[in-house]
Amino acid sequence: MTVKEVLRAHTAAHEDASAETKGQGGHAPSVAPATVAAGRASQELGVRRAEFELAVHLGLIAVTGAPGGGRPRVHEDEIARLREQPGFPDALAERVRTVGTAQAAALLDIAPARFTRLARAGCVSPVTFYLNRYRAVVWLYLADELAAFAAREPELLAGRTPPGMRTMLESGADWRARNWRSQRIDRLLDRTTDPWARTAVQASALDPVQLAEVVDDPYERAYLVRVRPEPVFGRPGSMAAREAMAELMLADDPDEILWRRVNLTLELDSAREDRPAPRPGDDGGARATPPARTGARPRAVRPAPAAEPAAPPACTGASRPAAVGRTTRKGLLARLGWRGRGAG
C-alpha cells in the first residue's frame, strides 16, 4: 500500500468516526443517563427486592419509566446518591424494615394484644400486608415509625387504656385498613401533578355506585380508569392477593366515604378546569398524563383538599380537622346528594 493510500484510508476512518459521534447539524448527540433494572439496583443498594420495592413506594428511591412502557428503571446517579449517604447500606435497609404484630410488640416492649388494640385504634398505621396460609390479612408496620410512636406517645404503652379509645374498640372500630388506604392514596398523589390522575387516585377508594354518584359522566369515569396511577412495584401476584387488595382499597366507613367523596369532587373540579376528558372520536387533543420520574415529590399544585388525619381523636386526643370550610362543605354535600345513608 502506498503512502497516499494509507493517508486516504486514515482520513476515511476519521470521517466515519466523526459522523458517528455527531448528530444532525454537526452537534454531538446528547447521551441519556444510564439506567439499570430494579433487580440490579436492589443488589447494588444491598437490599432485598421486597425492601427495594417498599423504598420506591415510600419515595426513598426515585425510578424512571423505561422507553416503550417497560418496567421502571433506576438511574445510576440515583444509586450513587444513595450509596454516598451516611450509614449505607444498613441505614436504607433499616428505613424499610417491617415487622408484624409479635415483632412490633417486642420492639415496643408491650404485649401483642395491647399492640393490636393500638393498631385498631389508629395509633400506628400499617405500611403493607400479606396473606397468610389461611388467606387472612397480616399487616406489617415500619419499625422506624413504631420507634417514633413510642417516643411520641409513651403514656399509651403502659397503664390503662384511655376511656375514649376503650369505647372505640368496644364498638368494633378498626382503623388499620383505613390508615393503610389513606397513606397509600397520599403517596400516589405525591407522584403526580396531573389533575385527572390525581382525581383517579381519589376515585380508587370508592365503589362503582359511589363513584357514579360523584362522577356522573361515563366518559370521565372511563378516563379515570385509564390514567389512574398504580404502584410502581409490588402489585399482588396471586388471585387471592389481588382480591384482597381490591377489597381493602375501598372506603368502608360512612365517615371515610364522605371524606373521599368530598376530596374527589374537589379534584374533579380542578381536572375539568385543566382540560375535558376525551370523547369517542377525539383526535388526541386531550393531553395524556405526563410521564414523571417517581420517588421525589413533584412540583406544587394548587391547594388540594385536606388529607385525612392519620389517627382518630381517640388516639391523639385532638379534634378532627374539617376537610373544607363550613360553607364549601355544605355546598359540596348538596352536590354529592349526601343524606347520611345509615350514616353512609
Side-chain angles (χ1 to χ4, degrees), residues 169-181:
L169 295 173
E170 288 173 354
S171 70
D174 189 342
W175 274 64
R176 288 175 294 184
R178 179 171 180 169
N179 277 350
W180 172 80
R181 276 191 295 273

Side-chain angles (χ1 to χ4, degrees), residues 284-301:
R287 300 193 306 274
T289 306
R293 184 172 175 177
T294 59
R297 296 177 74 91
R299 60 179 173 83
V301 294

Side-chain angles (χ1 to χ4, degrees), residues 49-190:
R49 182 60 181 267
E51 294 173 330
F52 172 83
E53 294 178 355
L54 181 57
V56 172
H57 171 66
L58 296 175
L60 303 178
I61 301 175
V63 298
T64 185
R71 298 280 284 175
R73 298 173 66 85
V74 184
H75 284 296
E76 289 187 348
D77 60 354
E78 175 70 358
I79 295 176
R81 180 187 70 83
L82 294 165
R83 291 176 65 91
E84 291 171 359
Q85 291 185 345
F88 176 85
D90 295 337
L92 178 60
E94 183 61 24
R95 293 179 71 183
V96 295
R97 183 165 69 94
T98 57
V99 292
T101 296
Q103 291 175 301
L107 184 65
L108 299 179
D109 196 22
I110 59 177
R114 188 180 188 97
F115 176 81
T116 299
R117 290 196 298 272
L118 291 172
R120 285 181 53 205
C123 298
V124 292
S125 302
V127 68
T128 187
F129 70 91
Y130 69 90
L131 298 184
N132 64 14
R133 59 189 297 182
Y134 305 106
R135 296 191 175 184
V137 172
V138 178
W139 295 110
L140 297 175
Y141 306 81
L142 283 174
D144 260 5
E145 290 187 354
L146 297 181
F149 165 74
R152 187 176 64 251
E153 305 281 357
E155 66 279 1
L156 293 178
L157 302 181
R160 294 179 60 83
T161 302
M165 184 186 300
R166 188 163 57 248
T167 301
M168 174 193 292
L169 295 173
E170 288 173 354
S171 70
D174 189 342
W175 274 64
R176 288 175 294 184
R178 179 171 180 169
N179 277 350
W180 172 80
R181 276 191 295 273
S182 181
Q183 291 192 356
R184 179 181 183 276
I185 288 173
D186 288 345
R187 286 167 180 142
L188 288 175
L189 289 174
D190 281 346

Side-chain angles (χ1 to χ4, degrees), residues 21 42 44 57 107 223 226 243 261 325:
T21 58
S42 64
E44 294 193 18
H57 171 66
L107 184 65
Y223 190 48
R226 285 168 47 192
E243 291 175 352
R261 286 171 66 112

Side-chain angles (χ1 to χ4, degrees), residues 266-329:
L266 295 176
E267 292 285 6
L268 182 61
D269 287 345
S270 177
R272 286 169 173 168
E273 291 175 8
D274 182 73
R275 66 185 187 273
R279 294 293 196 268
D282 283 356
D283 57 0
R287 300 193 306 274
T289 306
R293 184 172 175 177
T294 59
R297 296 177 74 91
R299 60 179 173 83
V301 294
R302 81 170 203 169
E308 186 175 12
C315 180
T316 63
S319 59
R320 188 183 185 88
V324 289
R326 290 175 182 265
T327 303
T328 306
R329 184 182 178 93

